[in-house]
């Protein structure tokens, strides 16, 4: 039913540097345009100028890839599309819905871009919860960088042995292996994102802060999502926040605003507005990942095999969160705190998260499996050593894919 490789005929192959320029330069232009003073360019002029660059942000990642179809391609799909959504809000949603000018300050936009790893200490909530902390030197980041790199390499050594066909067969016939693959995939994302986050923090620490950093100002991009105690806990506190500002600005805020305005801001409809606005964020997340699936598989394969799977994954997450809230309202008040906070309930909640992840993860991973996990590169010598060990072991190789 599925072929291991998709004949990529819809994209022009270019060097990696050209791919980065074609896909990211429109984002840079839109960044500059959005932060220009209204005394220089008015809102209507900005809107007109933004149209071709917004279009380029969506078209270019679909039209180009590098020679290896490497992870850079995925980066150059997700970032431009996410920024397309953010700038769509600034240039069109703000003026049309809120009747505001198409402008955002450089500091505000920069704060959004840093929000996934850097905590805004000037916010009211963070000021109230602020605790004194001692600054550390840049070399204190090295253990976290090394551990995430090694953890990533350990996981990728096994994952890289699987073809798309292996993944689809595993989901149908080998549920335990599929569960382990799900946990490994989430661990891969966690270690990879945290590794990149720590590298960015290290560079900032050396270049901007002269070799020191305040631990209270920084956080991991991912916070052990497999240890979550609810789906809401995973998405609100443990999953990465890289795309959140765009999705909140382009989906949550306008949907919430329109519903509140449409209901004359009546208090009885506020909860409804929050629920629908929250679901719209998951819908926008689904659209973003559907776009990446489209870019990597082309329209024909995407429409036949993958269309709607990312939307299903993120839609289910939103629905489950709503069900969790309803359950908390009607059940939690009737349970004593000793039960709610018991170790057994905590264990059951974590098992529940693993089951939800295992159930929904295939919808998320299938299109990326067809892109090819073998394209991930290792960071340390651990990966090739471990992979060779897996291949040479008569017992372990049976749990690997066809690429072992």
């Amino acid at each position: 039913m599925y072929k291991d490789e998709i004949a990529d005929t819809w994209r022009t192959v270019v060097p990696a540097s050209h791919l980065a320029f074609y896909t990211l330069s429109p984002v840079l232009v839109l960044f500059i345009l959005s932060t220009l003073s209204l005394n220089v360019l008015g809102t209507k002029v900005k809107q007109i100028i933004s149209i071709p660059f917004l279009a380029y942000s969506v078209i270019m990642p679909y039209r180009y890839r590098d020679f290896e179809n490497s992870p850079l391609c995925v980066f150059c799909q997700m970032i431009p599309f996410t920024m397309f959504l953010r700038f769509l809000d600034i240039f069109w949603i703000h003026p049309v819905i809120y009747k505001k000018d198409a402008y955002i300050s450089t500091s505000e936009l920069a704060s959004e871009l840093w929000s996934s790893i850097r905590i805004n200490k000037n916010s009211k909530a963070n000021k109230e919860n602020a605790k004194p902390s001692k600054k550390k030197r840049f070399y204190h980041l090295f253990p976290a960088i090394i551990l995430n790199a090694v953890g990533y390499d350990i996981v990728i050594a096994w994952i890289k042995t699987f073809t798309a066909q292996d993944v689809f067969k595993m989901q149908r016939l080998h549920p335990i292996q599929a569960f382990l693959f799900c946990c490994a995939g989430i661990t891969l994302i966690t270690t990879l994102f945290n590794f990149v986050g720590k590298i960015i923090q290290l560079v900032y620490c050396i270049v901007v802060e002269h070799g020191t950093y305040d631990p209270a100002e920084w956080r991991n991009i991912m916070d052990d999502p497999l240890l979550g105690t609810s789906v809401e806990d995973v998405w609100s506190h443990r999953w990465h926040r890289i795309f959140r500002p765009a999705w909140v600005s382009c989906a949550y805020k306008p949907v919430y605003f329109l519903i509140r305005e449409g209901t004359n801001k009546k208090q009885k409809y506020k909860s409804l507005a929050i629920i629908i606005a929250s679901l719209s964020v998951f819908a926008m997340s689904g659209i973003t990942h559907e776009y990446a699936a489209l870019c990597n598989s082309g329209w024909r394969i995407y429409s036949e095999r993958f269309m709607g799977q990312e939307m299903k994954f993120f839609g289910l997450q939103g629905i489950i969160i709503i069900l969790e809230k309803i359950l908390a309202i009607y059940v939690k008040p009737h349970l004593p705190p000793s039960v709610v906070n018991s170790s057994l309930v905590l264990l059951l909640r974590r098992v529940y998260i693993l089951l939800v992840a295992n159930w929904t993860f295939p919808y998320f991973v299938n299109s990326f499996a067809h892109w090819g996990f073998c394209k991930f590169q290792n960071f340390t010598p651990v990966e090739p050593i471990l992979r060779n060990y897996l291949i040479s072991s008569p017992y372990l190789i049976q749990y690997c894919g066809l690429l072992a």
Side-chain angles (χ1 to χ4, degrees):
M1 181 179 178
Y2 290 96
K3 295 180 180 179
D4 286 334
E5 294 292 339
I6 296 174
D8 191 339
T9 59
W10 64 95
R11 289 187 290 185
T12 302
V13 179
V14 296
S17 58
H18 292 195
L19 172 68
F21 176 78
Y22 294 156
T23 57
L24 300 179
S25 57
V27 175
L28 178 61
V29 173
L30 290 167
F31 183 99
I32 296 171
L33 184 63
S34 66
T35 57
L36 276 179
S37 170
L38 294 167
N39 296 325
V40 178
L41 289 178
T43 293
K44 289 186 178 180
V45 177
K46 285 187 176 185
Q47 287 178 311
I48 294 171
I49 297 174
S50 73
I51 293 174
F53 293 102
L54 287 170
Y56 291 153
S57 298
V58 177
I59 295 171
M60 292 301 179
Y62 182 76
R63 295 298 304 160
Y64 294 96
R65 71 171 177 89
D66 62 13
F67 293 111
E68 293 80 19
N69 194 17
S70 69
L72 176 65
C73 293
V74 179
F75 176 85
C76 290
Q77 294 157 8
M78 298 295 288
I79 297 302
F81 190 82
T82 302
M83 296 310 296
F84 159 79
L85 297 175
R86 185 64 187 97
F87 290 123
L88 185 69
D89 167 65
I90 294 170
F91 293 116
W92 292 96
I93 294 178
H94 262 67
V96 173
I97 295 180
Y98 309 130
K99 309 302 179 186
K100 294 182 177 180
D101 291 316
Y103 172 79
I104 186 171
S105 68
T106 304
S107 60
E108 184 180 353
L109 199 52
S111 178
E112 288 184 4
L113 296 175
W114 281 103
S115 63
S116 62
I117 57 174
R118 196 156 189 229
I119 300 169
N120 182 7
K121 294 183 70 175
N122 294 323
S123 68
K124 184 177 179 181
N126 290 329
K127 279 184 177 180
E128 292 175 353
N129 299 323
K131 296 180 180 179
S133 60
K134 183 179 179 181
K135 286 199 171 186
K136 294 185 176 182
R137 297 291 297 174
F138 69 92
Y139 48 76
H140 287 109
L141 294 170
F142 291 160
I145 292 173
I146 294 170
L147 285 173
N148 279 295
V150 172
Y152 164 86
D153 276 4
I154 290 172
V155 174
I156 205 65
W158 183 57
I159 288 180
K160 284 175 70 171
T161 67
F162 291 94
T163 65
Q165 186 72 22
D166 292 328
V167 174
F168 302 136
K169 182 179 178 181
M170 182 199 313
Q171 292 168 359
R172 295 194 307 271
L173 304 176
H174 306 290
I176 295 177
Q177 189 180 29
F179 170 74
L180 294 175
F181 187 85
C182 164
C183 294
I186 295 172
T187 303
L188 183 157
I189 298 171
T190 301
T191 52
L192 175 60
F193 279 40
N194 284 341
F195 172 80
V196 173
K198 291 301 179 183
I199 292 293
I200 294 172
Q201 182 182 346
L202 177 65
V203 173
Y204 185 93
C205 169
I206 294 173
V207 175
V208 179
E209 298 189 344
H210 308 293
T212 64
Y213 70 96
D214 184 350
E217 292 184 5
W218 298 88
R219 59 184 164 210
N220 287 329
I221 293 182
M222 302 277 284
D223 186 16
D224 300 319
L226 288 173
L227 298 180
T229 55
S230 67
V231 175
E232 182 183 20
D233 174 43
V234 170
W235 290 108
S236 297
H237 306 295
R238 295 179 178 273
W239 204 254
H240 71 80
R241 300 170 174 83
I242 297 172
F243 308 134
R244 185 178 297 180
W247 295 338
V248 169
S249 298
C250 195
Y252 184 94
K253 289 182 179 179
V255 169
Y256 179 81
F257 177 84
L258 289 173
I259 294 175
R260 294 293 285 154
E261 290 294 314
T263 56
N264 296 318
K265 297 184 178 179
K266 292 180 180 179
Q267 189 64 26
K268 64 179 180 178
Y269 295 114
K270 186 176 181 179
S271 296
L272 177 65
I274 293 173
I275 290 172
I276 296 176
S278 299
L279 288 175
S280 72
V281 172
F282 283 100
M284 194 60 68
S285 180
I287 291 170
T288 303
H289 289 80
E290 290 280 338
Y291 172 75
L294 170 63
C295 290
N296 285 314
S297 57
W299 172 253
R300 185 179 65 82
I301 301 297
Y302 166 74
S303 61
E304 291 176 358
R305 303 178 186 177
F306 305 126
M307 181 183 286
Q309 290 196 16
E310 301 291 346
M311 289 293 292
K312 185 180 291 187
F313 171 78
F314 287 101
L316 284 170
Q317 308 301 312
I319 293 170
I320 291 171
I321 288 176
I322 292 173
L323 294 176
E324 286 180 349
K325 289 183 175 294
I326 294 173
L327 193 65
I329 291 172
Y330 290 102
V331 176
K332 190 175 180 180
H334 301 288
L335 297 175
S338 59
V339 173
V340 174
N341 301 320
S342 67
S343 299
L344 177 60
V345 169
L346 179 62
L347 175 62
L348 291 175
R349 292 177 70 177
R350 286 183 170 161
V351 170
Y352 152 72
I353 287 300
L354 294 176
L355 293 175
V356 170
N358 187 55
W359 170 44
T360 60
F361 188 70
Y363 300 124
F364 174 81
V365 80
N366 283 348
S367 63
F368 291 102
H370 239 309
W371 165 72
F373 299 122
C374 60
K375 297 180 176 70
F376 282 107
Q377 299 299 314
N378 60 295
F379 294 136
T380 73
V382 171
E383 186 269 333
I385 294 172
L386 182 57
R387 189 144 60 98
N388 288 334
Y389 176 74
L390 291 173
I391 294 170
S392 61
S393 170
Y395 175 75
L396 294 176
I397 195 171
Q398 64 183 316
Y399 300 106
C400 298
L402 293 174
L403 295 179

